[in-house]
């Protein structure tokens, strides 16, 4: 077990920082620091494959210039803040990678509505092995007029 990065890190005082790739560090048993939202000019944030666990901090929603957010392959969940609270200010986001993020607290299709209404510039969305709400009662999926240019995600088969 390695120690993670802490709120007191001077890294978060770099106000002109635009890109932060802090991936593949394997900081198991640590959380994403709440101070992650301090670098106001951050456009690219990659915290993937670190072994972070727990709640995604609300501070990420303060990074209003973000165009790329990658939180993949950690042990993260969204409860409070929920997805709506997290993405409502991230209107410049073009790429969102939430592979393995637990979204099971999101109700039904609300996660999809929040993403489509809050992220108008989104071009890439990755939800590989994402724990969505258990939709065992799902009997209909409507995809008409969606202009799909790729195969329907395989996880639809599990509903």
């Amino acid at each position: 077990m390695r120690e993670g990065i802490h709120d007191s890190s001077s890294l978060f005082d770099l106000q002109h920082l635009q890109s932060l790739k802090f991936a593949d560090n394997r900081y198991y048993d640590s959380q994403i620091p709440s101070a992650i939202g301090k670098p106001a000019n951050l456009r690219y944030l990659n915290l993937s494959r670190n072994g972070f666990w727990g709640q995604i901090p609300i501070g990420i929603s303060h990074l209003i210039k973000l165009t790329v957010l990658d939180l993949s392959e950690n042990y993260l969940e969204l409860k409070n803040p929920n997805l709506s609270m997290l993405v409502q200010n991230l209107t410049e986001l073009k790429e969102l990678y939430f592979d393995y993020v637990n979204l099971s607290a999101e109700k039904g299709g609300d996660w999809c509505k929040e993403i489509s209404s809050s992220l108008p510039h989104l071009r890439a969305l990755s939800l590989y092995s994402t724990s969505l709400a258990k939709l065992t009662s799902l009997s209909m999926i409507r995809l008409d007029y969606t202009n799909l240019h790729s195969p329907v995600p395989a996880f639809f088969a599990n509903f």
Side-chain angles (χ1 to χ4, degrees):
M1 176 174 83
R2 291 193 228 166
E3 267 195 57
I5 187 168
H6 299 282
D7 284 326
S8 60
S9 172
S10 58
L11 176 68
F12 301 121
D13 295 329
L14 300 173
Q15 290 304 305
H16 299 288
L17 185 68
Q18 292 187 14
S19 181
L20 176 58
K21 183 176 182 185
F22 197 76
D24 297 305
N25 288 295
R26 308 287 186 212
Y27 287 126
Y28 295 105
D29 296 327
S30 63
Q31 294 183 318
I32 297 173
S34 58
I36 195 72
K38 285 177 63 179
N41 289 303
L42 207 56
R43 296 180 187 282
Y44 175 90
L45 178 60
N46 183 340
L47 299 176
S48 64
R49 296 177 303 279
N50 278 308
F52 288 129
W53 64 273
Q55 177 63 42
I56 296 172
I58 189 68
I60 289 177
S61 71
H62 301 145
L63 300 172
I64 61 173
K65 294 183 179 180
L66 267 187
T67 58
V68 176
L69 175 59
D70 189 345
L71 298 177
S72 298
E73 297 185 47
N74 289 293
Y75 307 98
L76 300 171
E77 63 185 8
L78 272 173
K79 289 184 179 174
N80 188 18
N82 61 19
L83 185 61
S84 174
M85 294 165 72
L86 184 71
V87 300
Q88 67 186 351
N89 297 325
L90 303 181
T91 58
E92 298 301 314
L93 208 60
K94 293 179 181 172
E95 299 178 28
L96 177 60
Y97 301 94
F98 260 26
D99 302 344
Y100 297 95
V101 173
N102 184 352
L103 296 175
S104 63
E106 297 297 317
K107 296 180 181 120
D110 288 353
W111 62 272
C112 189
K113 178 182 164 197
E114 294 306 329
I115 288 173
S116 64
S117 65
S118 298
L119 305 176
H121 303 291
L122 196 65
R123 294 185 315 218
L125 173 63
S126 184
L127 298 173
Y128 179 80
S129 196
T130 300
S131 298
L132 295 168
K134 294 179 181 164
L135 303 175
T136 56
S137 301
L138 188 67
S139 62
M140 180 180 75
I141 299 175
R142 290 197 60 175
L143 298 174
D144 39 347
Y145 299 105
T146 56
N147 287 325
L148 286 175
H149 296 285
S150 62
V152 174
F155 69 83
F156 277 25
N158 297 328
F159 290 157

